[in-house]
Amino acid sequence: MGPTTTLLEPEAKAPGFIVCDGNEAAAWAVALARVEMVAVYPITPQSSLVEYLAKLVADGTLDAEIVDAEGEHSVLSVLQGAALAGARTYTATCGPGLAFMFEPYLRQPGLRLPMVMSIVTRDTLTPQSVWGGHQDAMSVREVGWIQMYCETVQEVLDTVIMGFRVAEDRDVMLPVNVCHDGNYLSFGATRVDLPAQAAVDAFLGTPNINWHAALDPARPMAVDPLTGGAGGPGPRTFVRYRKGHCAGMQNALAVITEAHADWARHTGRQHAPLVERYRMDDAGIAIVTIGSMSGAGKDAVDAARDRGIPVGLVKVKTYRPFPTEAIVGALDGVRAVGVVDRSVSFGWNCGPLYQDVAGALGRAGRQVPSMSFIGGLAGADLTTDHFGGVIERVGQLALDGRSGPTVWINEND
Amino acid sequence: MKRQAYPYFDMANVPDDLCPVAVRPNPMLPGEWRSMKPVVDRAKCVKCAVCWVYCPVQCVVEKPAWFDIDYATCKGCGICAQECPHRAIAMVEEAA
Amino acid sequence: MHEIRIHGRGGQGAVLAGSILATAFVEEGRHVVAVPSFGFERRGAPVASFLRVDDRPIRQMTNIYRPDCILCIDPTVARAVNVFDGIAEGAVLVQTTARPLTELQVPERIACVGLCDAVSLALAIFKRPITNTLMLGAFAKTTGLVSLDSLRTALERSDFRDAGLRQNLDALEAGFERTTVYRIERREAA
């Protein structure tokens, strides 16, 4: 519990709607989710989010312990201690801050400790950049956190709350990254509807954090002892935990879907949980997008349709676990696919989402000409005009009949 | 000690897609966005150098009988005017 | 749909102006998205804020390239950036300046200009050159796109770091009253 503050009545806590940006929306979600401890360190473009958290705590709207740590490594370490003591926890970071907390970031999913962390996605440093991109979140995609990407500011608020439900589900027990685009969603202001506290309470229930591993004198145990090695039970023990983690990730697909459906029952807002199909019913070609770029993508699809081009858009919301079935199903029947990434995978010199999509299609035996488009790096804009060019190129791909080389959208901007 | 200027590194033999380095100084100077600027009254200035010590961007320039301001870098923060013990510096509105 | 671009310098409240304007539009039941773009978070660096307003939902979260309204809340930022970049034919300019219209370089495509000496008024009201709320009043007067009442409600909902609500409401009124609006005759095509 925090210092003595005036606790506001649940109904008074959250006015019906506000005009705010994604950072403030995330902070409101944390308050509504009744998070018990937040630890914070500022980093552009997340800084205002932690300032809003501090204000909500000071006002008594968020009844949480707030720890102003000296760096992100301590931020996440502090929260792990709190989670092992049973607290519902939250933080937000990005870019170099995410890099600084990499050690505890590796530990969290391995301990199957639930929490929600917002990544206000940003291109990683060097070339020196403070602007939006996805490189930071994409760089940590193999650590084993659940990752969901938001398209709108409203979705940021809704997904941070849903994140706790997914993370704390007994069949999941994994930490969740809710990613929202630096600059566009972090500072883009628009009308946001705040759900009633009673609805959020009914949706989330009480925290379910440390029934399986705890720092609790009443339940003495050693958390995360040395495991593995080549001798004795090492190999099979380690594999058992890794497979358990993977099982949790796969279970998350259904849990995420059910959480979104239940959220729609409480609020009337149904966000697509895994992937969203936009005008895919009679689509001859498709583009795949992720994050806030999808809005401009949809506008470009409408414009292309008006010109007679049978294009549709598939937006990925849940990126980890990767919804292979949903992606393959959504792309059923198309003759060419273009995947737009806001980050780079240096293995194939393409986008990371492209790799996952191509892999999923290949494994399903679908031979579809595909290509990767990389754009919007370091705050570069991805406009409807850019998407128009992407759609045209994918149309050409359908005629060529084979996959094409990576295109760097902003190369000449 | 005599000051010597060194030219910036010549990048002619380095590919431009290799590593982000900069060898041309940025022409944007902080003097561009002042709304108020400090004006020194030469008659009152006694060269105590308090303004020179306090200026956060080191834009106070020593002259034989007084201290003047380099308006290319002066941001108009007003600290010099605030600190001058002889009230020799006044902040006046910048003509825009 | 209207696409408004707000230009200013860091620390003057250009970004806050975008957000107050957005709140005012929402008060009037319209859809709005206000997105800022900036480099480093410090006083003095040029900043731009983009605001789209429409009666239908707005999906694209991108910068604005063909604005039909420029709101410039700093008298000198036009020296550092091209505030008129991409403006649509018949666009509106709302500018803070102490100079008369004849001394300003206004491109052909601008059909309507609102001028307000917001820096002097700001120094009088706030003792600092924070022009944002004054210029929102100027915006309302010049464009008629939003009412003073909605802006007042929006101010009441906002948090001010440097000055109180009363002063900002006064600034809004002053900006509205002390803005001169000029309609420019279309010049003949060459």
Side-chain angles (χ1 to χ4, degrees):
Chain A
M1 292 289 285
T4 38
T5 49
T6 311
L7 294 181
L8 300 183
E9 289 303 316
E11 294 72 37
K13 222 190 250 199
F17 74 87
I18 53 176
V19 176
C20 71
D21 59 25
N23 280 359
E24 192 176 348
W28 276 104
V30 172
L32 286 161
R34 299 195 192 268
V35 168
E36 297 167 287
M37 178 184 251
V38 298
V40 296
Y41 194 90
I43 177 108
T44 302
Q46 158 264 46
S47 308
S48 62
L49 195 165
V50 301
E51 288 170 12
Y52 287 122
L53 283 175
K55 181 169 194 305
L56 289 173
V57 170
D59 289 347
T61 311
L62 167 55
D63 180 23
E65 198 73 46
I66 180 161
V67 173
D68 207 352
E70 78 278 12
E72 286 84 350
H73 188 283
S74 296
V75 160
L76 192 49
S77 302
V78 157
L79 292 179
Q80 282 170 355
L84 286 168
R88 181 175 279 166
T89 56
Y90 171 89
T91 190
T93 194
C94 58
L98 181 58
F100 192 20
M101 63 164 65
F102 194 54
E103 183 190 345
Y105 187 83
L106 287 167
R107 179 165 294 119
Q108 185 96 10
L111 291 181
R112 305 295 293 276
L113 269 186
M115 75 171 295
V116 172
M117 178 197 301
S118 289
I119 298 183
V120 188
T121 62
R122 147 187 181 168
D123 233 293
T124 45
L125 304 172
T126 306
Q128 192 74 217
S129 160
V130 295
W131 297 280
H134 288 161
Q135 199 73 32
D136 55 0
M138 286 291 176
S139 294
V140 296
R141 59 185 173 148
E142 299 313 346
V143 176
W145 286 57
I146 291 171
Q147 285 194 342
M148 292 189 273
Y149 282 75
C150 301
E151 180 184 345
T152 64
V153 174
Q154 181 71 63
E155 193 173 9
V156 172
L157 184 143
D158 293 345
T159 308
V160 169
I161 296 175
M162 286 193 277
F164 289 103
R165 162 109 159 222
V166 172
E168 297 174 17
D169 188 290
R170 285 228 162 192
D171 294 331
V172 176
M173 293 305 288
L174 282 170
V176 173
N177 281 141
V178 177
C179 303
H180 67 265
D181 288 346
N183 200 65
Y184 299 106
L185 294 182
S186 68
F187 303 125
T190 187
R191 179 194 155 122
V192 173
D193 289 316
L194 295 171
Q197 181 68 67
V200 177
D201 290 341
F203 178 77
L204 284 183
T206 49
N208 178 48
I209 315 289
N210 70 342
W211 54 275
H212 64 307
L215 293 177
D216 180 353
R219 294 183 278 160
M221 65 176 85
V223 177
D224 200 9
L226 195 61
T227 308
R236 62 179 164 275
T237 312
F238 197 91
V239 168
R240 195 174 78 221
Y241 286 119
R242 281 287 189 256
K243 285 188 74 174
H245 183 164
C246 289
M249 281 293 244
Q250 286 306 300
N251 294 342
L253 291 167
V255 172
I256 289 170
T257 305
E258 169 51 26
H260 279 67
D262 201 27
W263 185 251
R265 285 191 282 273
H266 282 286
T267 64
R269 289 190 294 278
Q270 172 74 60
H271 302 287
L274 304 179
V275 307
E276 178 185 337
R277 303 182 187 203
Y278 183 73
R279 302 188 81 161
M280 286 301 297
D281 283 339
D282 55 343
I285 58 172
I287 58 174
V288 182
T289 62
I290 181 166
S292 70
M293 64 163 89
S294 310
K298 289 173 183 172
D299 282 353
V301 163
D302 284 351
R305 283 279 186 169
D306 286 345
R307 295 197 307 272
I309 303 173
V311 61
L313 181 150
V314 177
K315 180 194 79 177
V316 173
K317 170 161 189 177
T318 295
Y319 181 63
R320 283 290 180 269
F322 191 68
T324 41
E325 258 184 63
I327 281 279
V328 171
L331 294 172
D332 189 35
V334 301
R335 297 189 318 277
V337 178
V339 181
V340 184
D341 270 286
R342 215 160 195 150
S343 53
V344 181
S345 169
F346 297 98
W348 292 8
N349 291 349
C350 66
L353 178 60
Y354 173 76
Q355 276 182 323
D356 283 313
V357 171
L361 288 170
R363 200 153 177 280
R366 296 275 331 279
Q367 297 295 321
V368 185
S370 63
M371 62 192 287
S372 171
F373 295 85
I374 296 179
L377 303 181
D381 217 11
L382 277 176
T383 62
T384 48
D385 286 348
H386 287 124
F387 274 105
V390 168
I391 291 169
E392 213 178 287
R393 185 68 185 85
V394 176
Q396 183 59 46
L397 196 66
L399 298 172
D400 291 344
R402 40 170 220 288
S403 292
T406 300
V407 166
W408 296 77
I409 294 176
N410 305 106
E411 189 161 22
N412 299 311
D413 284 341
Chain B
M1 189 172 95
K2 188 174 171 197
R3 282 191 172 214
Q4 212 167 349
Y6 292 90
Y8 280 95
F9 179 60
D10 179 5
M11 296 290 287
N13 297 323
V14 181
D16 69 359
D17 63 350
L18 194 57
C19 173
V21 299
V23 292
R24 285 198 319 265
N26 188 329
M28 186 170 83
L29 290 168
E32 302 217 337
W33 60 80
R34 267 196 315 268
S35 62
M36 306 279 281
K37 71 178 185 189
V39 176
V40 180
D41 184 343
R42 288 179 64 165
K44 292 188 182 164
C45 176
V46 300
K47 283 197 81 175
C48 67
V50 167
C51 58
W52 183 90
V53 166
Y54 274 92
C55 175
V57 294
Q58 293 108 51
C59 74
V60 176
V61 177
E62 186 183 359
K63 295 280 168 78
W66 59 308
F67 278 91
D68 197 5
I69 310 293
D70 179 0
Y71 291 110
T73 43
C74 168
K75 290 198 259 199
C77 70
I79 288 176
C80 55
Q82 172 86 0
E83 296 297 333
C84 174
H86 302 277
R87 304 193 202 214
I89 304 181
M91 296 302 290
V92 303
E93 215 177 295
E94 187 75 56
Chain C
M1 174 166 68
H2 289 283
E3 297 192 306
I4 302 158
R5 199 162 65 205
I6 305 174
H7 286 278
R9 293 192 185 267
Q12 291 171 335
V15 173
L16 182 57
S19 135
I20 294 169
L21 192 48
T23 306
F25 281 125
V26 169
E27 279 297 312
E28 295 185 357
R30 309 184 74 180
H31 294 269
V32 68
V33 172
V35 181
S37 96
F38 39 64
F40 302 98
E41 293 164 11
R42 68 176 162 101
R43 284 196 182 236
V47 308
S49 182
F50 308 101
L51 196 143
R52 285 190 174 89
V53 57
D54 203 352
D55 296 315
R56 303 174 316 167
I58 299 166
R59 286 184 304 203
Q60 53 174 322
M61 304 287 280
T62 61
N63 295 351
I64 289 176
Y65 299 92
R66 289 179 276 273
D68 56 359
C69 176
I70 305 287
L71 170 56
C72 190
I73 73 168
D74 178 278
T76 68
V77 75
R79 293 205 288 261
V81 295
N82 178 12
V83 303
F84 299 111
D85 195 25
I87 50 166
E89 194 65 52
V92 177
L93 168 68
V94 187
Q95 172 77 54
T96 175
T97 181
R99 299 181 184 203
L101 180 60
T102 45
E103 279 183 39
L104 298 178
Q105 307 221 320
V106 174
E108 290 257 341
R109 294 181 167 208
I110 300 280
C112 174
V113 179
L115 297 181
C116 173
D117 186 7
V119 174
S120 304
L121 293 169
L123 288 169
I125 297 175
F126 302 110
K127 309 289 177 278
R128 295 155 87 173
I130 309 284
T131 53
N132 58 349
T133 39
L134 279 150
M135 291 309 290
L136 286 175
F139 174 86
K141 174 91 166 278
T142 312
T143 67
L145 279 177
V146 68
S147 73
L148 263 193
D149 270 336
S150 307
L151 282 168
R152 281 190 202 104
T153 310
L155 279 179
E156 276 151 22
R157 277 172 168 261
S158 300
D159 250 333
F160 291 100
R161 199 174 52 198
D162 294 325
L165 178 59
R166 178 75 258 147
Q167 286 175 302
N168 279 290
L169 286 169
D170 290 342
L172 189 65
E173 294 282 352
F176 190 92
E177 292 306 314
R178 307 279 294 272
T179 291
T180 315
V181 182
Y182 305 90
R183 305 225 169 265
I184 301 188
E185 293 297 318
R186 283 290 172 91
R187 287 159 231 190
E188 296 295 324

